[in-house]
Amino acid sequence: MAKALDFTPRVPTPQEKLQSEVAVSTDALLEGLYLLRQLHEHGVLDVAGKTIRGGEGLVASLLHITGGESGTTLLRNVTELGKTLSALDPREVGILGSAVTAGIGEGARHVASGKGIGLGELLGLLKDRDVQVALGAILALLKGMGHALREANGDLAQTPNQTEVGR
């Protein structure tokens, strides 16, 4: 009577597994190497490495990549923009953002209708509570901006009809 054979296939070595995967993934590996080479040539890998290591020389690398004085100006502007954005109240930005989105939608519908607006309609809109609130917000924005611009120029003299900003 025949006896069953015990056969245990040989487990591939890690090197054999790697060779098999490389053979299957050749196109992907070539594309990945090309991308990696481009990132290296443009200095992106260097900046990423410095970021991960804690920023040693990061600013100098960023200045080199962004190209001298224009890069310095860019970094200063980004820093100032960051300071400005961090001073904004997120709740207020959310409210104004929603209002602007709704206003853009309303404006788009008006433009799509192809209608214009006459002087009589314009004066009639001034009685609309939504228009009154929006105009008040726009005028308050302009008032605050004007005050900040005058303050930046050192002009703090009050005019007779002027009220305090923020009231």
Side-chain angles (χ1 to χ4, degrees):
M1 181 174 274
K3 184 175 164 188
L5 294 176
D6 287 332
F7 175 73
T8 306
R10 184 176 70 81
V11 177
T13 65
Q15 290 81 12
E16 291 171 333
K17 287 181 185 177
L18 178 62
Q19 286 177 346
S20 170
E21 289 299 318
V22 167
V24 173
S25 305
T26 302
D27 291 339
L29 285 170
L30 289 174
E31 286 182 36
L33 287 172
Y34 174 75
L35 178 62
L36 189 62
R37 189 170 43 254
Q38 293 298 312
L39 291 172
H40 175 71
E41 288 174 6
H42 289 91
V44 175
L45 288 181
D46 183 47
V47 171
K50 287 179 179 178
T51 302
I52 291 169
R53 287 190 301 271
E56 300 169 11
L58 180 61
V59 173
S61 295
L62 287 172
L63 284 174
H64 178 71
I65 288 173
T66 54
E69 188 163 328
S70 65
T72 304
T73 303
L74 172 68
L75 286 175
R76 285 182 182 156
N77 287 338
V78 168
T79 302
E80 287 301 318
L81 181 61
K83 287 179 188 175
T84 301
L85 292 177
S86 69
L88 296 175
D89 179 0
R91 188 178 81 56
E92 292 173 349
V93 171
I95 291 170
L96 287 176
S98 296
V100 168
T101 301
I104 289 172
E106 188 69 28
R109 283 189 291 282
H110 184 78
V111 168
S113 73
K115 296 186 328 184
I117 188 168
L119 182 59
E121 291 171 300
L122 179 62
L123 292 175
L125 282 173
L126 291 176
K127 294 179 183 177
D128 184 314
R129 183 69 180 137
D130 293 337
V131 172
Q132 291 173 354
V133 170
L135 282 174
I138 290 170
L139 293 173
L141 171 73
L142 292 174
K143 182 171 181 63
M145 287 175 60
H147 179 78
L149 290 170
R150 285 186 330 100
E151 193 174 75
N153 284 334
D155 176 16
L156 298 178
Q158 294 276 329
T159 59
N161 295 336
Q162 200 166 13
T163 59
E164 279 296 311
V165 174
R167 279 188 173 179

